[in-house]
Amino acid sequence: MSAESDIATSCNHLAERLGARRPEIAILLGSGWGAVADQVQGAVDIAYTDLPAFPRLGVGGHAGLLRAGTLAGRPVLVLAGRKHAYETGDADGMKGAIRTLAAFGVKLLVQTNAAGSADTDMKPGELMLISDHLNLSQRSPLFGEAGDSRFVDMSAAYDPALRQQAQAAAAAQGITLHEGVYAWFVGPQFETPAEIRMARTLGAQAVGMSTVPETILARHAGIKVLGLSLLTNMAAGMDAQALSHAHTLATAKAGEAQALRLMQAVLAAVQI
Ligand code: HPA
C-alpha cells in the first residue's frame, strides 16, 4: 500500500474507534512522561499495529499505543511510543503517524522528551520549555519529499503564543519551567564532552536524541508544536555522573509527577 492509503486507512480506523470525537491536541510521550498516559480519562486504546501508517516499534518490548480520552478536561490523543532516528539512521520514522494526526484534525502536537542539561543553571529533575532547536544531525524527515511545501518555515517552530501560555500556566502552579534551545544529536551513543562544549557554544541549553524530526513533520503538516523536556542529567563532561540509559530512566521516573503536573497545567491553559 502507498503511504497515502496507509494514512487514509489509519484515519478511518481512528474514526471507527472514536466515533465523532476529533481531539485537536496530540501528546507524544518521551521517557519520564508515562504518567501522562495513566491519567487519561475515558481512555480508548488503539495499538499502533492497527494503524498501518504508524511505526512498528517492538524494540524494548514496547509495541506503541495511541490512547484517546481527556486530560485536564481537554480531549487528547496520547502517543506512547516513538520511532527514533538512532534505530535505523532515518529521521522519518514518525512521518505516517504525524500525517495521520493532521488528517484526523489535530492542530497542536505537544512533544515531550528526556534531555541532558547543557546549562549549569538547569538541574536534573527540572523542566524546560523548548524555545527552538538545533538540528545538529542535519538529517530531515522530509528528504525525498517533493513540492514547494517541503521548504518549511522553521522560524517560529515552537509556537511563541503557546509558549507564553505554557509559561504563565507553569508560573500559576509554582512549577519552575526553564526555557531554551534543544540540540538534536542522532545517537544512540551519548555525546562526548567536546560535542557538548560545541553545542553550548552554539547556544544549546539541552541535548537529546528525539523530537526534532517530529517538529519538522508537524510544521510541514500545519500542526503547531509545543516542546517540553524533562532534564534527567547534566550533559557529558558537565559533572562527574557517568551517563547511562538506566540513569536517564531512573531520574525520569523521579521527575514524572512534576512533569505530569506541568502537562495538566499546560493543557488546561493552551488556546489553540
Ligand atoms: N544526551 C542525549 N540524550 C539524552 C540525554 C543526554 O545527555 N539525557 C537524556 N536523553
Side-chain angles (χ1 to χ4, degrees), residues 114-117 185 190-191 196 207-209 230 232-236 243 248:
S117 169
F185 286 87
F190 283 106
E191 301 73 31
I196 295 302
V207 296
M209 305 179 197
L230 172 58
T232 52
N233 54 280
M234 295 310 293
L243 297 183
T248 297

Side-chain angles (χ1 to χ4, degrees), residues 96-122:
I98 301 294
R99 291 183 180 174
T100 299
L101 296 178
F104 199 63
V106 166
K107 304 276 182 278
L108 166 63
L109 177 66
V110 183
Q111 291 232 56
T112 67
N113 61 39
S117 169
D119 184 327
T120 50
D121 290 337
M122 304 188 334

Side-chain angles (χ1 to χ4, degrees), residues 3-27:
E4 281 73 27
S5 70
D6 282 349
I7 291 166
T9 307
S10 301
C11 254
N12 288 341
H13 188 75
L14 287 177
E16 262 169 40
R17 296 291 309 279
L18 301 181
R21 282 185 283 171
R22 291 288 180 280
E24 294 193 330
I25 303 176
I27 303 168

Side-chain angles (χ1 to χ4, degrees), residues 27-29 33 36 71-72 110-112 175 228 258-268:
I27 303 168
L28 181 51
L29 296 183
W33 295 84
V36 168
L71 188 62
V110 183
Q111 291 232 56
T112 67
I175 300 169
L228 301 171
Q258 188 77 334
L260 171 63
R261 281 188 65 219
L262 175 65
M263 180 62 75
Q264 288 172 320
V266 167
L267 285 180

